[in-house]
Amino acid sequence: MASMGRSNRAARSPEPALATGADGRTHAQGPLTRQVGSGLAELRPDRDRPQAWTLLVDGAPQSLVDLADPTHLGFEYQRRLGHLIDLVAPPGRPLTVLHLGGGALTLARYVAATRPRSRQQVAEIDTALTELVRAELPLERGWQIKVRGGDARGVLERTPEGSVDLVITDVFSGARTPAHCTTVEFTTLAARALAPGGWYAANIADGGALPFARSQVATLGAVFPELALTADPAVLRGKRFGNLILAAAHTPLPITDLTRRVASDSSLGRVEHGRALADFTAGATPATDATAAPSPAPPPGVFR
């Protein structure tokens, strides 16, 4: 769930010897760093929002959480996934959501706040990271969010058929998506988990000629008939490395509404679908378990 967009920065300082309260970590306590399973995790206070924190792992921004406002999505990739969450069902209707990749649980918080009574499961392999997040950035009581420690694909394999309205894949090891979560076989498992009318969404990262992104669109297209891609136009032109959001379904996606929401966002974005997306994907080969590779590593300095 590495974000290639802008993130708020704060000066690094030693962790104060203050206990975190029931409402979560306060800015008075300053930044926190701790070794977790996936690397060095850091919580940095947001300079603009007094109860917001950015989670970084080995220097790569992963999530932004505002404890005072769980509907705030600070990273552009999170907002684009938020648009899909808003559009997958009528406003306020509870959803059953499977999040593959947890981080600071930003999107699970967003679903819980905007769609009360939603039932959510999160797969996060780094249990030490989950413990840190739940201790310092606690979830609200009453939210039906269950976090399972385990590999995203393993959790997906055990998910009952037709049981969820939305699968969100936001799996990063450091700043790269593992190969086994990028394949036709993986996507087929996601499709199997979806209830009728359900959607699949994925956050990926790529740059340059976007070979990984093109292959991922082809991979989803091997399983789902309806596809859309959302990204910064500069990323789509190969001008910079960044996040791309993929959406897929067995029924038509609300492209007009999605395009309108993306156009009104504070960050530039473009929605590709239909013929334009087919042209974007032309010649790309779907990834399989036998051929897949991890997503490309970000270029040096991309997070500075």
Side-chain angles (χ1 to χ4, degrees), residues 8 15 17 114 152 160 209 254 256 303:
N8 294 299
E15 179 184 346
T114 60
T256 299
F303 300 121

Side-chain angles (χ1 to χ4, degrees), residues 57-237:
V57 177
D58 286 341
Q62 303 288 317
S63 306
L64 189 147
V65 169
D66 188 339
L67 293 173
D69 181 9
T71 68
H72 175 69
L73 300 176
F75 291 160
E76 60 188 48
Y77 90 87
Q78 293 176 334
R79 292 195 297 275
R80 289 168 184 156
L81 287 168
H83 297 325
L84 295 173
I85 292 168
D86 292 342
L87 292 171
V88 70
R93 198 193 86 181
L95 296 175
T96 302
V97 184
L98 174 62
H99 302 263
L100 302 175
L105 308 175
T106 303
L107 291 171
R109 298 169 197 264
Y110 181 81
V111 172
T114 60
R115 296 179 176 275
R117 302 184 308 284
S118 291
R119 292 182 293 112
Q120 301 184 77
Q121 183 174 189
V122 181
E124 174 54 62
I125 197 169
D126 192 338
T127 55
L129 177 61
T130 298
E131 291 172 2
L132 172 65
V133 167
R134 298 195 74 154
E136 302 294 337
L137 310 176
L139 301 173
E140 291 188 15
R141 292 184 178 180
W143 284 352
Q144 298 181 61
I145 301 173
K146 295 183 179 179
V147 184
R148 297 180 60 177
D151 176 75
R153 182 155 172 173
V155 171
L156 186 57
E157 288 171 345
R158 296 190 294 275
T159 300
E161 182 175 356
S163 62
V164 299
D165 301 306
L166 179 63
V167 174
I168 299 176
T169 297
D170 193 11
V171 181
F172 283 83
S173 177
R176 306 180 71 181
T177 302
H180 71 293
C181 295
T182 68
T183 68
V184 170
E185 292 87 346
F186 178 90
T187 307
T188 300
L189 289 170
R192 174 182 172 275
L194 291 175
W199 294 1
Y200 175 74
N203 174 36
I204 63 172
D206 200 3
L210 303 174
F212 178 74
R214 296 174 194 274
S215 175
Q216 284 302 283
V217 176
T219 299
L220 267 61
V223 178
F224 292 100
E226 302 292 334
L227 304 173
L229 178 154
T230 305
D232 186 318
V235 174
L236 291 173
R237 292 195 300 268

Side-chain angles (χ1 to χ4, degrees), residues 10-70:
R12 187 187 297 263
S13 62
E15 179 184 346
L18 297 175
T20 300
D23 294 329
R25 192 172 186 83
T26 67
H27 281 199
Q29 294 173 278
L32 178 152
T33 59
R34 186 171 299 169
Q35 196 69 35
V36 296
S38 51
L40 184 66
E42 180 178 3
L43 292 175
R44 290 184 180 175
D46 187 277
R47 291 178 295 187
D48 300 318
R49 303 178 74 90
Q51 289 184 258
W53 297 84
T54 298
L55 168 68
L56 302 94
V57 177
D58 286 341
Q62 303 288 317
S63 306
L64 189 147
V65 169
D66 188 339
L67 293 173
D69 181 9

Side-chain angles (χ1 to χ4, degrees), residues 236-260:
L236 291 173
R237 292 195 300 268
K239 299 297 184 181
R240 73 173 181 87
F241 194 93
N243 296 82
L244 304 96
I245 301 301
L246 308 180
H250 286 292
T251 54
L253 295 163
I255 299 299
T256 299
D257 289 338
L258 178 60
T259 301
R260 185 181 302 114

